[in-house]
Amino acid sequence: QQFYGIMMDDADRLLHTIEQVLKAGQAGAGRHGQREPVSLTDTVAQSIALARMRHRLSEESLTLVNHISDGENEIVLGDAGDLRTAVLNLIDNAVKYSGSEVGVSVELARAPKGNLLIHVRDQGIGIPTTELKNLFHRFYRIQNATTARIKGTGLGLFIVHSIAKRHRGRVYAHSDGNGHGSTFTLELPPAPVAAS
């Protein structure tokens, strides 16, 4: 059973790597998916459920805080699969860089000017402020003793950046430095009310 578990974990990791490489290729080619009304609330909820299952997390380890009121427009125009990929990549990163004690929160909110915001916060290893501007480059990974032990392709955040751009949005990161956790924010414009 233990050997079987190791093989399944390795297979899942390889599948995830292949998916990331294919998504990065699509992003690099400037592929535009179909544009349809997508519920951001549903997308975030589905991503959290998948991340909990993938990383075997409790509800306390990965929480959702939704500041969007019932009846408020939380619809965006875009590709549902791509948006789910973007949110899931941010959550996966937060979990990976949390260390042994995972405490990740996903917050859905609205910016003062009306854009929709997804904040993914962790209490993990943090990011040196000098590295923040490089995080979204293809294959970029922070080089230090801690991150060297964490497996990754350096494609996840590049894919998130590409998806955000295709949806007329942006993604950015904040950290107070090593040991102070990180917050990644995906900002997207809401769909016109008529489209929802």
Side-chain angles (χ1 to χ4, degrees):
Q1 285 287 46
Q2 184 181 5
F3 185 59
Y4 175 75
I6 292 168
M7 284 195 307
M8 288 301 293
D9 285 346
D10 283 344
D12 285 346
R13 201 160 34 246
L14 282 170
L15 180 60
H16 183 64
T17 300
I18 291 166
E19 287 171 351
Q20 293 288 69
V21 170
L22 290 173
K23 282 280 183 188
Q26 292 171 345
R31 183 191 67 85
H32 291 271
Q34 58 187 16
R35 290 174 63 79
E36 60 186 6
V38 178
S39 164
L40 215 54
T41 304
D42 290 348
T43 299
V44 169
Q46 291 163 7
S47 301
I48 287 174
L50 190 52
R52 280 187 184 138
M53 185 176 65
R54 180 182 286 177
H55 298 286
R56 300 179 183 93
L57 296 173
S58 65
E59 288 191 16
E60 295 76 28
S61 298
L62 176 55
T63 59
L64 171 62
V65 180
N66 188 354
H67 295 294
I68 306 290
S69 305
D70 285 346
E72 270 193 89
N73 180 22
E74 46 77 54
I75 303 294
V76 297
L77 278 182
D79 183 285
D82 280 354
L83 290 168
R84 195 162 44 249
T85 294
V87 176
L88 195 52
N89 276 358
L90 292 179
I91 296 171
D92 282 346
N93 256 24
V95 171
K96 270 199 310 188
Y97 292 99
S98 284
S100 56
E101 197 75 29
V102 176
V104 175
S105 76
V106 182
E107 183 181 332
L108 191 53
R110 190 177 297 281
K113 291 186 178 179
N115 278 355
L116 296 161
L117 305 173
I118 302 168
H119 302 292
V120 179
R121 293 190 174 91
D122 66 67
Q123 309 300 316
I125 64 174
I127 304 166
T129 52
T130 54
E131 301 282 359
L132 290 173
K133 64 180 182 299
N134 299 316
L135 292 174
F136 302 100
H137 294 168
R138 192 195 304 243
F139 298 120
Y140 185 80
R141 298 193 74 210
I142 296 171
Q143 299 301 317
N144 61 40
T146 306
T147 58
R149 294 193 300 270
I150 300 170
K151 294 180 179 172
T153 59
L155 290 172
L157 292 177
F158 168 75
I159 292 167
V160 176
H161 171 74
S162 301
I163 290 171
K165 194 173 172 184
R166 285 205 302 272
H167 288 79
R168 297 183 298 114
R170 64 186 184 128
V171 61
Y172 49 94
H174 172 79
S175 177
D176 289 327
N178 290 328
H180 294 284
S182 310
T183 300
F184 285 81
T185 300
L186 178 60
E187 180 175 348
L188 299 165
V193 176
S196 62

